[in-house]
Amino acid sequence: MSFRPTENTSSASKLALEIKGISKAYGRFPALKDVSLQAHDKEFLALLGPSGSGKTTLLRVLAGLEEPDAGEVRFGGEDFLSLPVRERKVGMVFQHYALFRHMTVVQNIAFGLTVRKRAEKPSKSEIKDRVEHLLQLVQLEGLDKRFPSQLSGGQRQRVALALALAIEPRMLLLDEPFGALDAQVRRELRRWLRELHDRAGVTTVFVTHDQEEALDLADRVAILKDGELVQLGTPNEVYEHPKTPFVFDFLGQACRMAGVVEGGRLRVADWESEAPKGAPQGPVEVFFRPDEVAFAPADGTGLAAEVFGISQRGPDVRIDCRIGGEPMELQAHGPSLPPGVATGLSVRIKPLRPKVYATG
Amino acid sequence: MTAAAIPTRRRRDLNLAPLMILASAAVMAGLILMPLVVVFHDALAKGVGAYFAALKEPDALAAVRLTLLVAAISVPLNAVFGVSAAWAISKFEFRGKSVLLTLIDMPFSISPVVSGLVWVLLFGAQGLFGTWLIDHDVKIIFATPGLVLATILVTFPFVARELIPLMQQQGADEEAAALTLGASGLTTFWRVTLPNIKWALLYGVLLCNARAMGEFGAVSVVSGHIRGLTNTLPLHVEVLYNDYDSVGAFSAASVLAGLGILTLVLKSVLEWRHSGELSANRKH
């Protein structure tokens, strides 16, 4: 997985968004439990989690479409929760675009400008200029007279963005912006969105359940589970140092085994090594990525594994093996196999960077 | 496709089709077209002159005026109510939603006579508020307000029932988007919600209006049948018919029938346009 270079956003720049102790329940179902996090000015923050983790609820709280039961939201120092939706000036892009179906693309984009109070309303020619500029920005020139139903998913998504940007929002909120698009369009739009963000310079919060998207796009990632914030950090931090087994599992493929830490040594089945720094004592769960392993001959050191299947998966090779009777799926970057690995052979494998969590 | 390629079963179905079409056409002719022809035939039995004379008769004109007045009051009220109820039910979550839905449907399930009778029980001389109304010289029963109330109750569900499924399908995302873009609640309603439901609303209003003008049972209970004063068109038809004035009765009935045909035509036109909009929605 590739990461964008870590930008120097964290310490120096000033706080834009502060979320403190937000809780929200629907009837007896708690959607958010005491969530606190901050976003810096012009930061691109991802809310990542499986469905039901509360990420969309949190986004809607920021937009003002849901009211939290407890907690505080400040934006630029201002109490955001006391502001009604229409005065928050956030640009929200909805999962299903929420374009106005009876308006053309131009009318859609201009909507936020034309509904302004008379005193704040730009003149007709100003609106026209602004809309034209936005059409250019989202690369939809020539489609201005179309209705939403005459556009493809990717085009609708870009209109939705133009709509949100038209009001010159203080903050951009995106709810699963690429959820309904196919993989190809998705990757294209992803790059484009990041460039757009960097050019527009707006603090952006976006919700996704796709870890690759979050790690690829965001300056920082907030990982939620069951309404709680599990970890917050740069893509590198959360990927390299997942705080919990859940985060490790959620951010990529995972192999897990039971082990024991005693006196600075980690023991897993017949393999012993130095325990990672800060590892808990006693029975532990050991996690490692299926492609972060070293292979050794059967008389070497490591976990005894029996290879029973090898298959090419695109650029990678999948190696099916059995460790202590349990099937495990490993990965090597192709095209050639690691030396000494073949179907039916016994090998030793050594996890290169195991993560150790107390068995809970 | 050639005939030989069609399996035998299909061919038997094909042979049945014209028969079934013929049968339904015959039923249609017998049950709908013939009565309609009879209405106009009997109305014109004594010539065009007698037909128009019957229509120009003061009581008949009064009945037409009253019918239009009652519809002109009750249909807009029910349109406003229907839109508000559909808006509340489809865009918000609240307690008692299913109770409200049941209440809206109630006029469909109770007899129109009951819908008329409840007003008599409330506002009639022997009714709950009867003495108070007599003391203050307010006439509701056997007067226009009673007719309006009865009509409103009977035609209550038409608009709401038409809008609720459509608005539920459309969801509340567009409204939410409008709010985040800085629109007020009212602007959102006028510029986002209403344009999205306009055809369905018109359709509901049309059905509501047809029923409001044609309603007999509920109106009959509260009317008192005072000629020229509290007789709506359907009631007028009945009174004339009971008087053995068949030309008069059928002339008035022909106006109602004409109204029905007009409604049908408008409804078909709307259905054509409306379904176009619906299929556009499905493309999303």
Side-chain angles (χ1 to χ4, degrees), chain A residues 86 99-102 114 163, chain B residues 174 179-182 191 195-196:
Chain A
R86 53 186 300 223
L99 300 178
F100 306 118
R101 69 191 85 201
H102 63 279
T114 55
L163 208 81
Chain B
E174 283 180 51
L179 288 178
T180 60
L181 290 169
R191 296 204 35 194
N196 278 347

Side-chain angles (χ1 to χ4, degrees), chain A residues 6 8 33 79 92 97 101 114 122 135 143 167 173 191 204 221 245 272 285 298 315-316 331 341 352:
Chain A
T6 323
N8 187 20
K33 291 182 242 173
D79 178 12
M92 173 118 176
Y97 322 123
R101 69 191 85 201
T114 55
L135 273 172
L143 296 180
I167 60 168
L173 304 175
R191 288 267 151 241
T204 302
V221 181
E272 204 185 291
E285 279 185 291
D316 297 332
Q331 226 174 43
V341 177
L352 295 175

Side-chain angles (χ1 to χ4, degrees), chain A residues 273-293:
Chain A
S273 73
E274 199 177 315
K277 249 186 253 162
Q281 291 289 310
V284 290
E285 279 185 291
V286 182
F287 279 75
F288 55 93
R289 304 276 175 215
D291 59 340
E292 294 183 343
V293 288

Side-chain angles (χ1 to χ4, degrees), chain B residues 209-242:
Chain B
N209 183 57
R211 181 65 190 266
M213 289 187 171
E215 175 56 25
F216 179 81
V219 170
S220 172
V221 178
V222 296
S223 151
H225 303 270
I226 310 164
R227 284 191 189 204
L229 273 181
T230 63
N231 266 358
T232 59
L233 210 44
L235 300 177
H236 185 64
V237 172
E238 193 212 15
V239 167
L240 291 178
Y241 187 76
N242 288 343

Side-chain angles (χ1 to χ4, degrees), chain A residues 250-284:
Chain A
F250 196 70
L251 290 183
Q253 285 164 295
C255 299
R256 76 199 298 176
M257 298 189 74
V260 179
V261 175
E262 260 169 5
R265 302 292 290 172
L266 167 66
R267 222 165 349 101
V268 184
D270 52 355
W271 171 60
E272 204 185 291
S273 73
E274 199 177 315
K277 249 186 253 162
Q281 291 289 310
V284 290

